[in-house]
């Protein structure tokens, strides 16, 4: 008999023998060195302790499989687990096992205690019940994840939010769901399920008022809230009382939500460690939230917040693009008139109201009078002109042309007495037709304050208006802008390691109006560049303005890692989403990987690019001829990527149609074939003077009279 067995032969052994629980002792290899009476009856051993066996042969994992030799079928830290014990007849019964290690001299042993099978069966039933609850939670989770996966294909943020919130309502068996984003000045309602979409539940909560979003923001935890009747002491205050289901704390909230529901599960949503949103799930009848429902919310909230943040970022990008188009239209409106008047100014504000919700009041004073008047004619139910105290706009004057109207300021109070004013700004527009003009732009109480993107737009709006109001004739303004744009087009491309770039822009010699030719190059991440060339239809300020807008939009798309075809498709949507843009553009855009020497391009109605290669066997000129539809002509166009490769020393040559459509005195076009022949003659001389020599050939062919603008770019890869 081993020493450990001898140790158990004393009082401790007697104690173990009379225990109702099954007890075994085994060593680090799993060899059993001690059985008590209950263990012997389980295994069928006699009282001879020398009949040793392995613990893994007596106890099996919960999946009824034998444990591997390098582990045991149960934890050895003293914690309990329900597994199966093998009886003498080979059947398996559930038991609850606890196991702990101990030292005997230099050796390590383990003592195992297994509770009686009746209690284990009860624990097994409890385990099965918990498994069933987990399966129910999994089913709910799968429902949410399914709709989130489907939402990835949604075209707009509004479509995605509606799907997600309606699915949350369904899986939680709720009556409505709302989603608020945390803004710099408060909380903005970004979406609601179908049932709550039309309800007045607070489109915007400001931070100095107490609502459910503010309560969650302050506590930074999930809260299950029940609207309850106030006590006699609380009844003097009209605002509703909620009680937290978990802590039993009571809160008084400024919210009308009590009119529509009795219970609210509200939880914070984080992204990158920052609180970005608050979601509220509502029930009309009193509802006690279960533990598995809380676990469900905790599991999906991170996923939901990430999807919403991504979709909102896309929505903001689309809004920025839309505002860029609005500003371009307003710029064209202002600069197409020799003199601004009230009608043009009102038309401009009407254009803006198609994209931004706001009301406005115009404040004027004649330079010969010191009294100002506020024109309320655009506000329903208000009288036209009202006398306006000069002191109210004191803070909005000076170098700062835009000023946010402070809460409870004199101007705030003055406007509150006359309108449903909630939040707003003032714009100092300067002198227009001998009249000093200020603009008060506002939203009604409960509405969202102007976002940073909108404030930036209003500053640019004011800048554009002030520039247009200097009293110059349209032709002089057009000429000034055209000259500036032409100068910008003549600038060299940026220096990029691995590429030698040359660019040339030559305006037509028989006109002084700028065209719509444009080109650009951008250095991207991962040693990639984007090369762009295009041609806007039309001439003058509109074409030049659109060329500038297209370059800006393409740069934004490129930095968001869009492929050439995705850039073309996005640009086509940008064009078609504006009812005032009647132009279109050709486009060649290519994303070039300087490391792998591979590239993709999309050619949307633009002349084919040349790819020039020299080798020991001679020079070769390839044309990138694969075509996609022109930009801005039709909806639902299919734009596609085409791949090409290049080697060190190769030259990529781009040009606009003014190159091939140059005419001679007989009316003949220079043409693509003649351009290829001339290019093959000049290219071996190097890229340094390539474009200048090509332009010289064009001018010689036309007799020095170019009838259209010519733009050319050459890239030589190192």
């Amino acid at each position: 008999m081993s020493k450990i067995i001898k140790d158990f032969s004393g009082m401790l052994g007697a104690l173990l023998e009379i225990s109702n629980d099954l007890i075994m002792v085994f060593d680090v290899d799993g060899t059993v060195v001690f059985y008590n009476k209950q263990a012997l009856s389980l295994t069928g051993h006699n009282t001879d302790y020398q009949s040793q066996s392995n613990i893994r042969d007596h106890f099996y994992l919960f999946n009824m499989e034998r444990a591997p030799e390098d582990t045991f079928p149960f934890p050895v830290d003293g914690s309990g687990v329900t597994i199966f014990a093998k009886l003498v007849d080979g059947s398996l019964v559930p038991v609850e096992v606890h196991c702990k290690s101990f030292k005997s001299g230099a050796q390590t042993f383990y003592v195992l205690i297994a509770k009686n099978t009746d209690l284990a069966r009860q624990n097994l039933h409890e385990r099965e019940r918990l498994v069933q609850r987990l399966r129910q939670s999994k089913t709910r989770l799968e429902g949410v994840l399914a709709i989130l996966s489907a939402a990835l294909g949604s075209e707009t943020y509004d479509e995605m939010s509606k799907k997600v919130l309606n699915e949350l309502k369904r899986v939680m068996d709720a009556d409505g769901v709302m989603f608020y984003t945390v803004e710099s000045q408060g909380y903005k309602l970004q979406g609601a399920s179908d049932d709550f979409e039309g309800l007045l539940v607070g489109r915007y909560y400001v931070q100095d008022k107490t609502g459910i979003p503010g309560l969650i923001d302050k506590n930074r935890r999930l809260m299950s809230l029940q609207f309850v009747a106030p006590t006699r002491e609380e009844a003097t205050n009209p605002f509703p009382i909620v009680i937290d289901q978990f802590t039993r704390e009571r809160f008084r909230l400024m919210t009308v939500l009590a009119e529509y529901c009795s219970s609210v599960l509200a939880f914070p949503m984080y992204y990158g460690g920052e609180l970005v949103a608050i979601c509220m799930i509502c029930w009309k009848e009193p509802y006690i939230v279960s533990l598995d429902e809380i676990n469900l919310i905790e599991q999906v909230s991170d996923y939901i917040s990430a999807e919403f943040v991504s979709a909102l970022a896309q929505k903001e990008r689309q809004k920025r693009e839309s505002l860029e188009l609005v500003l371009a239209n307003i710029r064209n409106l202002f600069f197409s008139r020799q003199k601004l008047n009230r009608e043009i100014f009102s038309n401009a504000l009407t254009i803006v109201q198609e994209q931004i919700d706001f009301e406005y009041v115009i404040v004027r004073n004649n330079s010969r009078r010191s009294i100002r008047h506020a024109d309320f004619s655009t506000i329903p139910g208000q009288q036209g002109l009202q006398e306006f105290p000069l002191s109210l706009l004191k803070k909005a004057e000076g170098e700062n042309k835009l000023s946010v109207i402070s809460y409870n300021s004199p101007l705030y109070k003055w406007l509150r007495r006359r309108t449903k004013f909630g939040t707003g700004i003032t714009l100092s527009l300067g002198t227009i037709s001998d009249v000093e003009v200020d603009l008060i732009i506002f939203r009604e109480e409960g509405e969202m304050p102007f976002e940073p993107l909108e404030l930036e737009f209003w500053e640019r709006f004011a800048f554009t208006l002030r520039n247009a109001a200097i009293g110059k004739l349209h032709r002089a303004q057009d000429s000034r802008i055209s000259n500036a744009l032409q100068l910008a087009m003549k600038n060299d491309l940026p220096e990029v390691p691995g590429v030698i770039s040359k660019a040339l822009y030559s305006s037509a010699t028989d006109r002084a109006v700028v065209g719509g030719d444009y080109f650009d190059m951008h250095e991207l991440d991962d040693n990639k560049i984007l090369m762009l060339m295009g041609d806007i239809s039309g001439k003058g300020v509109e074409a030049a303005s659109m060329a500038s807008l297209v370059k800006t939009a393409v740069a934004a798309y490129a930095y968001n890692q869009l492929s050439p075809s995705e850039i073309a498709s996005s640009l086509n949507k940008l064009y078609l989403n504006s009812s005032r843009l009647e132009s279109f553009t050709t486009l060649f855009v290519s994303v070039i990987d300087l490391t792998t020497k591979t590239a993709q391009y999309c050619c949307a109605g633009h002349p084919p690019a040349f790819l020039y290669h020299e080798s020991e066997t001679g020079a070769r000129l390839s044309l990138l001829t694969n075509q996609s539809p022109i930009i801005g002509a039709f909806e639902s166009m299919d734009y596609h990527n085409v791949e090409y490769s290049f080697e060190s020393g190769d030259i990529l040559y781009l040009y606009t149609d003014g190159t091939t459509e140059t005419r001679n005195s007989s009316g003949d076009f220079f043409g693509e074939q003649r351009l290829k022949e001339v290019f093959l003659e000049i290219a071996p001389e190097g890229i340094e003077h390539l474009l200048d020599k090509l332009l010289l050939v064009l001018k010689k062919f036309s007799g020095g009279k170019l009838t259209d603008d010519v733009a050319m770019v050459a890239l030589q890869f190192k």
Side-chain angles (χ1 to χ4, degrees), residues 490 504-510 658-665 670 674-675 678 691-710 712:
K490 293 178 181 178
L504 179 149
Y505 182 91
S506 179
S507 58
T509 54
D510 62 349
T659 306
T660 53
E661 294 179 3
T662 296
R663 295 174 183 264
N664 61 15
S665 58
F670 188 79
R674 187 178 280 109
L675 179 62
V678 173
L691 301 185
D692 292 329
K693 292 179 179 179
L694 287 172
L695 180 62
L696 188 62
V697 172
L698 290 177
K699 289 184 176 180
K700 184 177 180 181
F701 179 82
S702 65
K705 295 182 179 181
L706 296 177
T707 58
D708 196 1
D709 299 335
V710 171
M712 294 186 285

Side-chain angles (χ1 to χ4, degrees), residues 286-306:
Y287 188 85
I288 302 300
V289 180
S290 65
L291 180 60
D292 67 302
E293 289 170 329
I294 294 174
N295 291 334
L296 166 68
I297 294 301
E298 291 176 344
Q299 292 173 33
V300 302
S301 61
D302 287 345
Y303 187 91
I304 294 175
S305 62

Side-chain angles (χ1 to χ4, degrees), residues 48 91 117 153 230 277 281 288 318 362 364 400 434 440 457 497-498 554 597 619 623 649-650 702:
D48 181 9
S91 61
T117 55
I281 305 173
I288 302 300
Q318 293 170 347
I362 301 174
R364 299 183 179 91
N400 185 13
D434 295 329
I440 299 174
F457 169 84
V554 170
K597 297 190 183 306
L623 270 64
D650 287 0
S702 65

Side-chain angles (χ1 to χ4, degrees), residues 617-638:
T617 59
R620 183 180 72 249
L621 189 63
S622 304
L623 270 64
L624 307 183
T625 58
N626 197 293
Q627 288 286 328
S628 290
I630 201 166
I631 303 292
F634 303 99
E635 295 182 356
S636 303
M637 289 291 97
D638 183 22

